[in-house]
């Protein structure tokens, strides 16, 4: 049972283009939605996160869009750069100190120069 | 402040051997966890701990054992390694946010 579904599995974008990664969740108790970025040979690192009380959060070229009624959220990378080439994971978890985050299966992004 | 550290970085085992993957954090986080990462499967939770002396199973616990005697350390033990345990293993600790270690790449022959 996959509680967080992520698509696409891989994505190729030209430099300067927009990269879009989508995630859908099932558990309505989730109330925190982070995105992680992982470079080859490294551990995942928090990129940006959102709570469902807002529909959008932007940090530089990275934006999370959140649709609570559809139980969907997405990561948009504007003006994609070759340095953005990495694997991106969405995740979801509920409140509380020990609530376990659930991860999507990841999207491998390649940005061509 | 080193964050989350893992040792070793690489390991090759023969089927049936046992070993311990080490994980330590210096952020005084109560919550720690172990994940394995396989191509196309994302990050799958093996075991987690909500504090010293408290551990629980995740999604894929079979073949692995953990203990949490201190807040800082959370070792993962492979009892009898199998080729299916070839993977990259990540330790993580969580306060407000979750921090991952650099990973251990394990190959079981």
């Amino acid at each position: 049972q996959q509680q967080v579904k992520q698509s696409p599995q891989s994505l190729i974008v030209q430099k300067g283009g927009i990269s879009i990664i989508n995630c859908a969740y099932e558990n309505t108790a989730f109330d925190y939605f982070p995105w992680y970025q992982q470079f080859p040979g490294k551990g995942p690192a928090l990129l940006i996160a959102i709570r469902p009380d807002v529909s959008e959060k932007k940090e530089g070229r990275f934006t999370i869009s959140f649709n609570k009624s559809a139980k969907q959220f997405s990561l948009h990378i504007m003006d994609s750069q070759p340095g953005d080439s990495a694997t991106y994971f969405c995740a979801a978890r509920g409140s509380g100190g020990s609530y376990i985050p659930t991860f999507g299966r990841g999207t491998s992004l390649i940005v061509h120069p | 402040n080193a964050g989350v550290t893992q040792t070793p970085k690489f390991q090759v085992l023969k089927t049936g051997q046992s070993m311990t993957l080490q994980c330590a954090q210096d952020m005084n986080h109560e919550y720690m966890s172990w994940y394995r990462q396989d191509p196309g499967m994302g990050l799958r939770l093996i075991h987690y701990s909500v504090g010293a002396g408290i551990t629980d199973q995740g999604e894929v616990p079979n073949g692995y054992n953990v203990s949490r005697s201190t807040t800082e350390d959370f070792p993962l033990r492979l009892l009898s390694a199998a080729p299916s345990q070839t993977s990259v293993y990540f330790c993580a600790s969580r306060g407000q946010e979750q921090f991952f270690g650099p990973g251990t790449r394990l190959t079981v022959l």
Side-chain angles (χ1 to χ4, degrees), chain A residues 26-72:
Chain A
E26 299 171 0
N27 190 340
T28 55
F30 290 151
D31 66 355
Y32 182 70
F33 303 89
W35 284 89
Y36 290 84
Q37 180 186 54
Q38 183 184 29
F39 293 108
K42 305 293 186 183
L46 179 67
L47 179 65
I48 187 173
I50 195 169
R51 294 194 182 275
D53 52 344
V54 297
S55 60
E56 185 175 282
K57 183 175 182 179
K58 183 176 181 179
E59 290 185 1
R61 296 183 294 107
F62 299 90
T63 299
I64 301 178
S65 297
F66 187 84
N67 185 330
K68 187 174 182 178
S69 61
K71 293 188 285 186
Q72 295 175 347

Side-chain angles (χ1 to χ4, degrees), chain A residues 32 38 46 89 93 97 99, chain B residues 37 90 94 96-98:
Chain A
Y32 182 70
Q38 183 184 29
L46 179 67
F89 293 97
R93 67 172 172 88
Y99 206 96
Chain B
Q37 183 176 21
F90 289 101
R94 183 163 81 80
Q96 287 281 64
E97 302 298 345
Q98 182 146 292

Side-chain angles (χ1 to χ4, degrees), chain B residues 71-84:
Chain B
T71 298
E72 294 77 20
D73 300 300
F74 190 41
L76 178 72
R77 297 181 185 85
L78 278 70
L79 308 174
S80 177
S84 61

Side-chain angles (χ1 to χ4, degrees), chain A residues 9 32 36 38 41-46 87 89 93 96-101 103-106, chain B residues 31 35 37 40-43 45 48 50 57 90 94-103 105:
Chain A
Q9 187 172 354
Y32 182 70
Y36 290 84
Q38 183 184 29
K42 305 293 186 183
L46 179 67
T87 299
F89 293 97
R93 67 172 172 88
S98 63
Y99 206 96
I100 303 166
F103 287 86
R105 292 190 173 182
Chain B
Y31 178 78
Y35 295 86
Q37 183 176 21
M41 299 299 293
L43 294 160
L45 183 67
Y48 66 98
V50 299
Q57 297 180 349
F90 289 101
R94 183 163 81 80
Q96 287 281 64
E97 302 298 345
Q98 182 146 292
F99 295 89
F100 286 86
R105 184 174 295 274

Side-chain angles (χ1 to χ4, degrees), chain B residues 2-78:
Chain B
V4 181
T5 58
Q6 291 183 239
T7 56
K9 290 187 183 298
F10 302 94
Q11 184 70 51
V12 178
L13 292 178
K14 294 182 180 179
T15 296
Q17 288 184 315
S18 62
M19 78 158 295
T20 299
L21 279 64
Q22 301 292 343
C23 174
Q25 53 97 3
D26 60 1
M27 296 172 283
N28 202 33
H29 289 163
E30 293 295 325
Y31 178 78
M32 297 184 72
S33 51
W34 276 101
Y35 295 86
R36 60 177 289 172
Q37 183 176 21
D38 302 289
M41 299 299 293
L43 294 160
R44 293 185 291 170
L45 183 67
I46 304 172
H47 284 285
Y48 66 98
S49 168
V50 299
I54 306 170
T55 64
D56 205 347
Q57 297 180 349
E59 179 185 357
V60 288
N62 292 340
Y64 307 95
N65 210 349
V66 292
S67 60
R68 185 93 179 272
S69 57
T70 67
T71 298
E72 294 77 20
D73 300 300
F74 190 41
L76 178 72
R77 297 181 185 85
L78 278 70

